Amino acid sequence: MRAILYVGHGTRSKKGADEAKQFLEQVINEVQCEIQEVSFLELTEPFIAEGFNRCVERGATSICVVPVFLLSAGHIKKDIPEALEPLLQRFPDIPVEMADPFGVREDLLDAMVELIKDAAPDAGREDSVLIVGRGSSDPAIVRDFSNIVTGVKERIAFERVESCYLAAASPTFQEGIEIICKSVSGRVIVVPYLLFEGLLLAEVRREVRKRAGNGEDILLTSPLGKHQSVIDIIKNRTGAAGGILCSH
């Protein structure tokens, strides 16, 4: 019997962890598969091993691992496979596939634009957008963000669309928000390229509130996990189409 194991990032934020679990419960309710379990890479229980074991205990004869990650950085390429390796050795007769992360997708770019319009229905050409990513030392992430910026620019006319990162890449969030706030004439719309609440989004929210409190014309959109298209993307990923066959 086929099983699906969802793997989220995990967070120290109880609010963020609860939101991620509620989101995945909604996904589970919309996916036709008898065995579905939730797990997290770090910081939030249950971890991958526990979720995997639960799939086996419920009768799984094959497992599709579905990473709930926006882009393919070190967690996808290294950390999740390393966490799976001892489980593959322990259960050599259970085939395991890992679906791809979201990547840069047209429907996700459309969702970003919808979140921008929800936050600022009257957004106009004089306004600007700052897309804030988690960040990674992987050069592929910077290339992906360049494509994301281009995709947003193609969908809606703004004075500027820029990106920055909360860690491990430049410009940093503080650099990016300082530069764009000082150099544009209209409103700044900050878009967190994150799925759920958590400490990173809290950092962004604090900075936006501080600047708004100081009279700057700035606002923050909802995270991507608030959009139905994200659930639809994960549902499509549960088929592991184009996924990675994990070796034993």
Side-chain angles (χ1 to χ4, degrees), residues 14-241:
K14 184 181 184 303
K15 181 180 180 181
D18 289 344
E19 185 175 301
K21 290 175 181 178
Q22 291 167 8
F23 173 87
L24 289 170
E25 285 300 322
Q26 185 176 349
V27 173
I28 288 171
N29 290 335
E30 296 189 24
V31 171
Q32 298 300 313
C33 182
E34 184 174 340
I35 303 175
Q36 299 181 73
E37 291 290 338
V38 171
S39 68
F40 296 90
L41 177 61
E42 59 185 8
L43 303 173
T44 302
E45 295 182 340
F47 297 128
I48 291 173
E50 183 178 346
F52 193 103
N53 287 329
R54 281 284 297 142
C55 289
V56 175
E57 289 167 2
R58 293 176 63 186
T61 55
S62 67
I63 298 176
C64 174
V65 177
V66 179
V68 187
F69 287 74
L70 289 168
L71 298 172
S72 181
H75 289 320
I76 303 295
K77 298 175 181 177
K78 180 175 181 290
D79 298 336
I80 294 177
E82 285 183 354
L84 288 171
E85 184 58 33
L87 299 164
L88 301 178
Q89 298 297 328
R90 183 180 173 189
F91 302 103
D93 296 328
I94 298 180
V96 176
E97 286 182 301
M98 187 165 77
D100 297 324
F102 296 3
V104 181
R105 300 170 51 98
E106 298 295 317
D107 47 4
L108 202 53
L109 292 169
D110 292 340
M112 291 176 65
V113 171
E114 288 185 19
L115 290 174
I116 290 169
K117 291 180 177 179
D118 287 345
D122 58 342
R125 185 178 295 275
E126 72 281 0
D127 297 323
S128 297
V129 167
L130 179 66
I131 304 170
V132 184
R134 179 181 295 272
S136 169
S137 57
D138 189 334
I141 298 299
V142 177
R143 290 195 298 271
D144 284 343
F145 256 77
S146 177
N147 292 331
I148 290 165
V149 168
T150 299
V152 172
K153 284 180 179 177
E154 290 172 348
R155 283 164 171 76
I156 191 166
F158 286 116
E159 179 177 334
R160 287 173 61 177
V161 180
E162 304 288 350
S163 62
C164 62
Y165 307 92
L166 290 158
S170 61
T172 66
F173 169 55
Q174 289 297 334
E175 291 169 342
I177 199 168
E178 182 71 15
I179 291 169
I180 200 167
C181 286
K182 282 188 173 181
S183 59
V184 300
S185 55
R187 176 173 40 187
V188 174
I189 304 166
V190 179
V191 183
Y193 199 74
L194 303 166
L195 285 171
F196 310 115
E197 294 288 341
L199 299 184
L200 294 178
L201 184 51
E203 177 185 344
V204 176
R205 197 184 305 281
R206 281 194 301 271
E207 181 65 22
V208 170
R209 284 176 176 168
K210 182 182 77 173
R211 288 177 176 272
N214 290 336
E216 295 185 28
D217 199 357
I218 186 170
L219 56 83
L220 179 69
T221 73
S222 298
L224 286 165
K226 299 291 187 182
H227 200 283
Q228 175 64 35
S229 67
V230 176
I231 291 178
D232 295 337
I233 291 168
I234 296 175
K235 287 165 59 179
N236 292 334
R237 283 286 182 264
T238 60

